[in-house]
Amino acid sequence: METNHNKYEENVGNETEETVGQPKEEQEEQDQQLETSEEEGQSEDNITPEQEEIAHLTEQLNELENRMVRTQADYDNFRRRTREEKAASAKYRSQSLVEEILPVLDNFERAFAVQGEGESYNSLLQGMEMVYRQLKDALLKEGVEEIDAVGQPFDPHKHQAVMQVETNEYESDVVAEVLQKGYMLKDKVIRPAMVKVSS
């Protein structure tokens, strides 16, 4: 009986230790978390007014630097656009004048197509040809050139098709005849050629 009683006391003692041990571990973990929270709170409380002012000034400085970079980028873009606009203006400065002269060239060419006879006609023709050449030379100096059309593949950027014709001389979609000459000012089409296109 005494032996059984001792075993009972040992079992009760073990159970008591296990039961008491479990809340103790949880308590230690809670104490550790509490200490960590207190340390963090103390760290935040330790920030001085000077440090807060430094942080505020640093934030303002970063913002000003970003604004300065954006302003500089906008200014660089403005200068680039201005240079491009000036270059384009200088490049095509004579466009308006050229557009007014082109109909004059057309009239000269129509006049050359009229047949005539006699000395007076020949003299008039020579005078017209001289003026015509002078106009062409002046336009050429400004960068005006005729658009090559006959025998070339149809290009909607340079040619204006007014009709299609059947011909064995050219393949399909090739300019067969020019009804009105087209012109370019440097690399810009100022008037497309009016053409007939082979079908």
Side-chain angles (χ1 to χ4, degrees), residues 101-197:
I101 292 177
L102 292 183
V104 178
L105 293 182
D106 296 337
N107 290 331
F108 270 105
E109 291 167 358
R110 294 189 187 98
F112 294 150
V114 177
Q115 298 296 324
E117 296 180 356
E119 184 176 347
S120 60
Y121 171 78
N122 292 333
S123 298
L124 177 62
L125 182 61
Q126 290 178 357
M128 291 175 59
E129 288 176 345
M130 182 177 66
V131 175
Y132 178 76
R133 285 195 301 269
Q134 289 176 340
L135 283 175
K136 295 275 287 187
D137 290 342
L139 292 176
L140 185 60
K141 290 179 181 179
E142 288 294 324
V144 178
E145 295 181 355
E146 291 183 13
I147 294 175
D148 193 14
V150 176
Q152 299 296 317
F154 176 74
D155 183 350
H157 300 292
K158 297 181 179 180
H159 307 138
Q160 179 182 352
V162 294
M163 66 178 67
Q164 286 187 322
V165 293
E166 294 183 2
T167 176
N168 296 326
E169 187 176 358
Y170 301 106
E171 297 180 356
S172 178
D173 291 331
V174 173
V175 176
E177 182 181 349
V178 175
L179 301 178
Q180 185 183 64
K181 292 180 179 180
Y183 293 90
M184 295 185 65
L185 176 59
K186 296 182 172 63
D187 57 352
K188 182 178 182 180
V189 176
I190 55 177
R191 190 178 79 178
M194 191 178 298
V195 301
K196 295 181 181 180
V197 182

Side-chain angles (χ1 to χ4, degrees), residues 29-42:
E29 184 177 354
Q30 291 177 359
D31 292 342
Q32 185 176 359
Q33 292 178 352
L34 181 60
E35 290 177 359
T36 302
S37 299
E38 290 177 351
E39 290 176 356
E40 292 178 352
Q42 291 175 357

Side-chain angles (χ1 to χ4, degrees), residues 35-121:
E35 290 177 359
T36 302
S37 299
E38 290 177 351
E39 290 176 356
E40 292 178 352
Q42 291 175 357
S43 177
E44 293 178 357
D45 293 339
N46 289 336
I47 297 177
T48 63
E50 289 79 6
Q51 291 175 326
E52 290 182 354
E53 182 66 17
I54 291 173
H56 180 65
L57 292 175
T58 301
E59 183 179 353
Q60 286 185 328
L61 178 61
N62 292 334
E63 183 179 352
L64 289 174
E65 288 179 347
N66 292 333
R67 292 169 66 180
M68 184 180 68
V69 170
R70 290 194 298 267
T71 301
Q72 182 64 41
D74 292 339
Y75 179 65
D76 291 340
N77 290 334
F78 170 76
R79 291 176 58 190
R80 177 181 54 79
R81 287 195 303 269
T82 302
R83 286 196 303 267
E84 291 175 353
E85 290 173 359
K86 287 182 177 179
S89 178
K91 188 175 184 180
Y92 306 117
R93 66 184 183 278
S94 59
Q95 180 174 345
S96 298
L97 179 60
V98 170
E99 290 174 344
E100 293 181 5
I101 292 177
L102 292 183
V104 178
L105 293 182
D106 296 337
N107 290 331
F108 270 105
E109 291 167 358
R110 294 189 187 98
F112 294 150
V114 177
Q115 298 296 324
E117 296 180 356
E119 184 176 347
S120 60
Y121 171 78

